[in-house]
Amino acid sequence: MSERRTITPTHRYRNNDKLIGIGNTFWNLSEEHGVAGIVGDLHDGVFRMADGHEFVNFTVCSYLDLDTHPRVIDGAVAALRRFGVLDHCIPRTRVQTTVLLELEESLGELFGATVVSAISTAAASTGLLPLMASGHLGNGTRPLMVFDKNAHVSMANAKPSCADETEVVTCRHHDLDFLADMCRRYERVCYVVDGSDSLGGYAPVEELAELQDRYDLLVFYDDSHSLSAYGERGIGYVRTHSPVLDERTITVATLSKGFGAGGTAILLDGYPQQTRRIIERFAGPLGYSQKMNAAAVGAAMASAEIHRTDELVELQGRLRSNIALFDSLLATEQSGSTYPIRVVPMTDETVVEAAQRVFAAGFYVSPVFFPIVARGTAGLRVMLRAGQTGEQIRRLASVLVEAGAQPAGPVAR
Ligand SMILES: *Cc1c(COP(=O)(O)O)cnc(C)c1O
């Protein structure tokens, strides 16, 4: 028996011991303080728990509240009735109804791109990134894959499969000098980054476009947080500001946050029809797993219709004024940004108790603290939405100040 081998992992791209060791400390502490593991029913924007406690959720990414919009709900129901099938379980490359094609045509027109849908952004990135690593999405040259250190886990998880196709490195957050250096050394480079970060902030799309022009840099953006909330017709930050919208830029964006439906949109420009086939056949889960079902498609079609009307402009405007109201009340590093996420600074020692206190007062805001974020950067994540009332925001702000947050000062920060 002593001959049986023990395995020593390489942990080049992932490490579950570390992930679970660190993550569980965080989750257990959150749950013990009643600010995770919460169950309730949602009615008219208010959560009600079994014990009668009611709260408004200030950490939900449905920035325009389209997920509860009556037309979006009706769209989901109507599509189910119209197509008469939830998910005809067979790869679409073999047999499909028109349901996804209708959606992709609608989203393509809305966003001015070729759109391929998928059940989730996580599934899309899992499937697309290895195709980029092998050069099958791109110009045929295997690029060095440079993952931004802060790339969302749905992208970072693809590192091991990309590494089996090409070389993979991780760079510091938005490290343009490093990227330029790699562009000079490698035939081709692909940078993998969030278009809009989940803790606030945007990718340097214009500087990246210069590298794209100069070195043919390929950029894979995940713009999930800004779709709908940002830009004309809600096209998001990347498509609003990147001057390079051709085969050198590929964007994925979830339809489950601002868009208020489900699924994801892969946004492509300048690729031939054949590329679409490669994606549908070989982009991992897109080829072998379930597609967006008819209810999600119906919801997305209804949301797309709203995006075409003045109602979107109005919702974006309400979101912006809610953000401005919040900034006028509380000091955060993100203050003044168009981005709907704020992290209200707290210390690692006080943040969970603060979240607990705020929850008792009727608001959910999620605490982030060491070890899931760096020491000294703990805080309460607040997400502004179009549907929050001024009254709710003012009350939340005063509760946050009582819990130790810093009010907005007269000095611009
Ligand atoms: C929320 C989020 C996702 C997950 O999107 P799904 O469509 O639910 O898989 C992926 N990437 C980023 C940057 C996100 O914020």
Side-chain angles (χ1 to χ4, degrees), residues 120-123 152 154-155 194 196 198 222 224-225 254 256-257 263-264:
S120 71
T121 317
H152 188 263
S154 55
M155 293 177 275
D194 294 46
S196 32
S198 43
D222 180 339
S224 289
H225 278 290
T254 190
S256 80
K257 292 196 166 111
T264 199

Side-chain angles (χ1 to χ4, degrees), residues 116 131 136-138 250 268 270-281:
V116 182
L131 287 179
H136 290 90
L137 255 179
I250 293 178
L268 303 166
Y271 277 98
Q273 194 58 22
Q274 190 50 28
T275 303
R276 196 194 160 94
R277 289 284 175 270
I278 295 287
I279 291 174
E280 288 174 359
R281 291 173 186 166

Side-chain angles (χ1 to χ4, degrees), residues 157-176:
N157 269 347
K159 286 179 192 178
S161 43
C162 290
D164 229 22
E165 298 285 350
T166 187
E167 289 177 35
V168 171
V169 291
T170 303
C171 74
R172 287 185 312 182
H173 189 43
H174 296 168
D175 191 344
L176 295 163

